[in-house]
Amino acid sequence: MTDRQEAEPGQPDAPAAPGGLPRHVAIIMDGNGRWATARGLPRVEGHRRGVEALRRTLKAAREIGIEIVTIYSFSSENWSRPLAEVSALMGLLKRFIRNDLAELHEAGVRVRIAGDRHDLAPDIARLLVEAEALTAGNRRQTLVVAFNYGSRQEIANAARALAEEVAAGRRDPASITPEAIAGRLSTSGIPDPDLIIRTSGEERLSNFMLWQAAYSELVFQPILWPDYGREALLEALAEYGRRERRFGGLATATGG
Ligand code: IPE
Ligand code: IPE
Ligand code: MG
């Protein structure tokens, strides 16, 4: 055990790295199916264990003091999976909100949903509204749940909304700036992720935060999501701390 892992709950224990803690960590939780298949279990069992990993990871992120956590829970393209798997994932999301919302609320977490709300089953749509409404006043941490989320669709929706304003004569095309587009995304008002983590060894974004990731640090970890937790998160944070962010500028002078 390292010193970091022995830190008291509730104490910020940033990894000892020059870069410091990211303000916003986004996680592409991947590898549930492979975790289950490797054990001869149905894929759905991997998703169930994935929810437990999510609980562990969110608790650790709160203890470490991450201000904003985004989780990619279901993509616009995940509807193409077999109906039984899609239904199981919907069931798990509902159960997660029903079981964990009170605890998140008590812990001071504000829940925000990113993604397309249209055409969702009414019970899911209601739960999402309830989660946001109950926790709207919380300030300790923001949890962004990317659900039915696709970045290209999100950008296209923003473009359409702005085009409609122009067509209606309410907007000058010259006012369509990066800020105007960002303000129309479902992450409006949320700072861009500083760190994007993807588990399972896949090294791609899979339609996640294409706009917002412009200057995010990407960390790919070979661990399958159901095995994720505090230790793996600390490793990703330590890797982030070793990165040098330049945003197109020059490295900070170190003398010589
Ligand atoms: C991530 O695990 C969960 C979702 C995409 C909903 P996967 O289900 O993608 O697991 P693999 O990638 O098939 O192992
Ligand atoms: C991305 O994972 C979506 C989520 C983690 C929710 P996928 O497993 O769906 O992505 P691909 O198909 O491997 O690119
Ligand atoms: Mg996958």
Side-chain angles (χ1 to χ4, degrees):
M1 270 256 213
T2 67
D3 290 349
R4 283 204 311 267
Q5 285 161 320
E6 284 161 4
E8 287 295 306
Q11 267 193 350
D13 57 350
L21 268 189
R23 185 176 176 201
H24 180 178
V25 176
I27 309 178
I28 304 174
M29 309 180 288
D30 197 20
N32 294 350
R34 276 164 282 170
W35 184 94
T37 304
R39 287 162 180 76
L41 299 168
R43 288 178 57 86
V44 170
E45 188 54 31
H47 295 313
R48 268 190 220 113
R49 297 291 291 263
V51 176
E52 290 171 26
L54 174 61
R55 286 197 184 102
R56 286 197 296 273
T57 306
L58 291 178
K59 185 166 179 283
R62 285 200 297 277
E63 290 167 358
I64 293 165
I66 307 293
E67 191 184 326
I68 305 160
V69 176
T70 295
I71 51 168
Y72 199 9
S73 65
F74 193 86
S75 77
S76 312
E77 289 73 36
N78 286 147
W79 294 106
S80 67
R81 295 189 179 195
L83 184 62
E85 182 167 346
V86 170
S87 307
L89 286 166
M90 295 298 142
L92 283 172
L93 175 83
K94 283 191 267 185
R95 225 167 306 148
F96 176 73
I97 294 181
R98 287 196 189 113
N99 294 339
D100 291 59
L101 184 60
E103 190 188 323
L104 291 170
H105 182 43
E106 245 167 67
V109 177
R110 176 180 185 188
V111 178
R112 279 199 47 178
I113 312 297
D116 192 347
R117 310 281 188 104
H118 300 105
D119 302 326
L120 291 179
D123 56 342
I124 292 198
R126 221 177 308 117
L127 278 173
L128 299 183
V129 169
E130 186 189 317
E132 286 189 323
L134 176 71
T135 62
N138 292 341
R139 291 290 173 266
R140 181 173 170 202
Q141 186 188 62
T142 298
L143 171 64
V144 183
V145 180
F147 176 75
N148 193 22
Y149 179 87
S151 196
R152 285 184 167 181
Q153 293 86 334
E154 177 187 45
I155 294 167
N157 289 340
R160 193 180 317 113
L162 292 167
E164 280 166 2
E165 290 177 23
V166 171
R170 283 184 280 118
R171 180 181 276 280
D172 178 350
S175 73
I176 299 181
T177 57
E179 292 72 27
I181 293 172
R184 297 302 175 126
L185 302 176
S186 61
T187 52
S188 164
I190 299 166
D192 291 340
D194 301 291
L195 167 63
I196 297 180
I197 296 169
R198 182 168 188 153
T199 62
S200 89
E202 305 297 350
E203 301 190 352
R204 55 176 170 264
L205 288 174
S206 301
N207 206 11
F208 182 63
M209 301 258 169
L210 303 181
W211 176 279
Q212 298 87 337
Y215 276 103
S216 302
E217 294 298 328
L218 309 181
V219 170
F220 300 105
Q221 294 179 282
I223 183 169
L224 300 173
W225 178 251
D227 293 326
Y228 210 82
R230 180 185 180 85
E231 201 185 328
L233 177 63
L234 285 170
E235 278 168 19
L237 293 172
E239 171 61 28
Y240 172 84
R242 288 190 288 270
R243 303 281 177 90
E244 183 180 49
R245 304 186 77 189
R246 290 194 285 272
F247 300 98
L250 296 180
T252 19
T254 48

